Amino acid sequence: MVKRCVACICVGDKYNISDVKILENMVFKNTTYDINFRVFTEPILPKWWTKVLYHSPLIEPFTEDVVLAFDIDVVIRKNIDELFDWVEKQSYLCAVWCRWREHMDNFELQRDKNIICTPYNSSIMGWKPGTCLDVWEKFHYDYMDKYEGFDKYLWMERLDPIRIPDKFYYSAHFADYEELDYPIALFNKGQSDGIEKNEISRRVPWVNKYR
């Protein structure tokens, strides 16, 4: 029997245990599988850099066969069993390909010129434990200053994740916060202006029916 896990990170002061419980409830409402739910709260590395630790020996290892990791601010609208099944068939780390970003065709050229950028977003990741240990093995602590974020580290160090199919997600921010028919809505806003976390429930009321 395949064992499955959902993981999230709650460090710093942006989110709290109430936010974690919202994510946990959405996960269990939207899967028919038995799921282990793991929350990482130890601030071993700053903010989003904690995602590197998913693949390191510094944490208790995952014993499951398939792991999905979500940012706490995602909204899960529909069943995610198919996403688990898809990740189970992959051989490396899987992440979101930011199809809504401008100049997507230029990212390879920018990387070749050592211009720091990324076409990836790690609001959703999936992997089978043991298949992407190089995410930790290639990591150096000075990369936290060099790359500013985990997603840029993956791209610039050519740890290119497998692209999660578009049908599983969309960016609510880049869709003007409309509710679209995808299983998962991301509330990343990149470098642009957008609705802050504490305003989402009030200004984007459709999210509340899923929480």
Side-chain angles (χ1 to χ4, degrees):
M1 178 180 294
V2 176
K3 294 189 293 183
R4 301 172 179 87
C5 178
V6 166
C8 70
I9 292 167
C10 185
V11 296
D13 56 6
K14 186 175 182 180
Y15 298 104
N16 55 44
I17 193 62
S18 296
D19 299 307
V20 172
K21 291 301 294 183
I22 289 172
L23 175 62
E24 183 181 22
N25 290 337
M26 288 190 292
V27 166
F28 283 102
K29 283 194 299 186
N30 287 287
T31 183
T32 63
Y33 293 141
D34 291 329
I35 302 294
N36 294 328
F37 191 89
R38 290 186 65 177
V39 184
F40 294 85
T41 58
E42 292 294 326
I44 299 173
L45 296 175
K47 296 182 180 179
W48 47 77
W49 285 104
T50 304
K51 293 178 179 180
V52 176
L53 300 181
Y54 282 146
H55 312 284
S56 83
L58 301 184
I59 64 168
E60 182 179 345
F62 290 96
T63 59
E64 297 82 8
D65 302 299
V66 185
V67 180
L68 291 180
F70 295 114
D71 281 1
I72 291 177
D73 59 358
V74 305
V75 172
I76 302 176
R77 300 180 58 257
K78 299 171 71 175
N79 187 279
I80 57 174
D81 288 356
E82 187 181 355
L83 178 56
F84 269 114
D85 295 344
W86 179 83
V87 171
E88 185 183 348
K89 298 174 184 176
Q90 309 310 311
S91 59
Y92 190 60
L93 178 68
C94 308
V96 166
W97 180 257
C98 300
R99 59 186 182 276
W100 49 83
R101 288 186 179 164
E102 296 180 356
H103 313 303
M104 289 294 289
D105 292 341
N106 294 333
F107 277 100
E108 286 281 5
L109 179 61
Q110 291 182 61
R111 180 166 66 175
D112 290 342
K113 293 181 177 179
N114 290 318
I115 299 172
I116 295 175
C117 61
T118 183
Y120 284 106
N121 178 283
S122 57
S123 294
I124 309 170
M125 293 190 294
W127 68 92
K128 292 184 293 187
T131 62
C132 37
L133 299 177
D134 55 345
V135 172
W136 169 254
E137 292 166 351
K138 291 189 176 182
F139 175 72
H140 298 283
Y141 289 100
D142 58 356
Y143 287 168
M144 291 189 289
D145 293 323
K146 181 177 181 180
Y147 294 132
E148 301 176 350
F150 176 72
D151 303 346
K152 292 178 180 177
Y153 159 64
L154 291 177
W155 177 249
M156 297 304 297
E157 290 300 313
R158 301 183 184 273
L159 296 161
D160 298 350
I162 298 168
R163 303 177 191 181
I164 295 175
D166 293 353
K167 66 180 181 179
F168 290 115
Y169 64 88
Y170 79 106
S171 169
H173 170 70
F174 288 94
D176 295 325
Y177 296 103
E178 291 185 30
E179 182 179 8
L180 301 182
D181 192 24
Y182 291 84
I184 303 167
L186 311 186
F187 278 82
N188 61 303
K189 58 181 182 176
Q191 302 300 316
S192 59
D193 293 331
I195 297 176
E196 296 297 332
K197 171 252 178 181
N198 59 358
E199 300 177 305
I200 290 174
S201 291
R202 178 176 61 85
R203 295 181 59 186
V204 192
W206 61 261
V207 305
N208 296 314
K209 62 186 174 183
Y210 299 108
R211 292 178 162 179

